[in-house]
């Protein structure tokens, strides 16, 4: 099975712009979660989607949003980018049944200048 | 509330010697615990998981971990380090019984393997 894929892998944006990141989960997986990784804050949970519904949301401002499509692919959007949004954004998929483990993609490296 | 503490931010070992990466957790429910490895500029790879079955868990690449409820610990070990083990390791707790599958990550331990 193909793993979790994320596009693009690298992105450079200017402060104030918005960005959309994409994630395709492992085939058959219905849950997608997003995490932000920074040197200062480490890995932090953003949100989880399951069958197109947001199940959980972390402590991030409303500028961070996401959605999931009927094919389980997910997108994350960040509006009005700030310098502090520079990070590695990781997507993880889970089968959504009784398994708890998540499988991560390679991440999207976002740099805000 | 859940939390994870990785007791060492950096660990150095010589190739061929044992590895011990320490992790303590706090959880209100029956936790699921995981260890992940992250190589430079890569995503996270699952090493092993504990989900209330056997307390000694074997993972990939010769790693194993023991769940000790009385000590609230889930330390990662490997009998003999290899150069390719040099990476950052994350201990993770999740409490599905609390209604969420979200991961709470430790701050990571960077493992250095000396030739």
């Amino acid at each position: 099975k193909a793993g979790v894929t994320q596009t693009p892998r690298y992105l450079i944006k200017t402060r104030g712009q918005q960005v959309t990141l994409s994630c395709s989960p492992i085939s058959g997986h219905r849950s997608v979660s997003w995490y932000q990784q920074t040197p200062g804050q480490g890995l932090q949970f953003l949100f989880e989607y399951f069958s197109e519904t947001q199940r959980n949301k972390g402590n991030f401002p409303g500028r961070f949003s996401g959605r999931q499509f009927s094919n389980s692919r997910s997108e994350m959007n960040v509006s009005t980018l700030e310098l502090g949004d520079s990070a590695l954004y990781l997507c993880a998929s889970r089968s959504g049944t009784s398994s708890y483990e998540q499988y991560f993609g390679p991440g999207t490296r976002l740099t805000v200048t | 509330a859940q939390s994870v503490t990785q007791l060492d931010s950096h660990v150095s070992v010589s190739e061929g010697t044992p590895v011990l990466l320490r992790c303590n957790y706090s959880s209100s429910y029956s936790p699921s615990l995981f260890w992940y490895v992250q190589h430079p500029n890569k995503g996270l790879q699952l090493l092993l998981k504990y989900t209330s079955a056997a307390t000694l868990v074997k993972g990939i690449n010769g790693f194993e971990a023991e769940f000790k409820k009385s000590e609230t610990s889930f330390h990662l070990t490997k009998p003999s380090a290899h150069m390719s083990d040099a990476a950052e390791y994350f201990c993770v707790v999740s409490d599905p019984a609390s209604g969420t599958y979200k991961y709470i990550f430790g701050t990571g331990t960077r493992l250095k393997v000396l030739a």
Side-chain angles (χ1 to χ4, degrees):
Chain A
K1 269 187 184 178
V4 178
T5 58
Q6 293 186 244
T7 56
R9 291 293 311 280
Y10 301 91
L11 208 47
I12 300 175
K13 289 287 188 179
T14 303
R15 196 170 44 183
Q17 289 185 316
Q18 75 164 16
V19 67
T20 299
L21 313 181
S22 181
C23 171
S24 292
I26 292 170
S27 178
H29 283 197
R30 297 166 62 192
S31 168
V32 171
S33 295
W34 288 88
Y35 295 86
Q36 182 196 64
Q37 185 176 25
T38 60
Q41 299 298 316
L43 280 146
Q44 294 184 286
F45 170 76
L46 280 155
F47 25 66
E48 180 194 6
Y49 287 86
F50 180 85
S51 294
E52 302 179 67
T53 301
Q54 187 180 88
R55 286 288 187 89
N56 257 295
K57 185 170 165 53
N59 294 326
F60 280 82
R63 300 185 297 106
F64 291 82
S65 63
R67 58 178 175 168
Q68 187 180 32
F69 302 94
S70 58
N71 62 358
S72 293
R73 190 177 70 85
S74 177
E75 287 182 349
M76 190 191 97
N77 185 76
V78 188
S79 63
T80 319
L81 284 165
E82 300 177 359
L83 296 178
D85 297 332
S86 294
L88 180 66
Y89 290 89
L90 292 162
C91 165
S93 78
R94 183 174 61 83
S95 68
T97 55
S98 58
S99 66
Y100 303 150
E101 68 267 23
Q102 298 179 26
Y103 297 90
F104 286 81
T108 294
R109 172 76 61 186
L110 172 65
T111 302
V112 181
T113 61
Chain B
Q2 309 158 55
S3 67
V4 174
T5 301
Q6 290 186 243
L7 297 161
D8 307 292
S9 58
H10 292 82
V11 169
S12 290
V13 300
S14 297
E15 190 175 22
T17 64
V19 175
L20 170 64
L21 305 183
R22 299 182 295 164
C23 171
N24 286 110
Y25 71 91
S26 173
S27 173
S28 305
Y29 298 89
S30 298
S32 294
L33 293 158
F34 309 85
W35 277 98
Y36 282 82
V37 62
Q38 186 177 35
H39 291 276
N41 300 313
K42 296 287 178 72
L44 296 160
Q45 181 184 19
L46 178 65
L47 281 177
L48 48 79
K49 64 180 180 180
Y50 166 78
T51 54
S52 77
T55 56
L56 182 61
V57 180
K58 293 188 184 300
I60 62 171
N61 301 334
F63 285 96
E64 63 181 39
E66 186 171 7
F67 174 72
K68 292 187 177 180
K69 188 174 182 178
S70 60
E71 298 175 13
T72 61
S73 69
F74 190 57
H75 301 333
L76 181 70
T77 60
K78 182 173 180 178
S80 176
H82 192 272
M83 295 299 288
S84 61
D85 294 328
E88 188 150 27
Y89 292 78
F90 293 94
C91 182
V92 178
V93 67
S94 178
D95 263 341
S98 68
T100 173
Y101 289 90
K102 74 176 185 183
Y103 277 2
I104 304 297
F105 284 85
T107 50
T109 298
R110 189 167 297 279
L111 176 65
K112 186 174 181 179
V113 182
L114 307 170

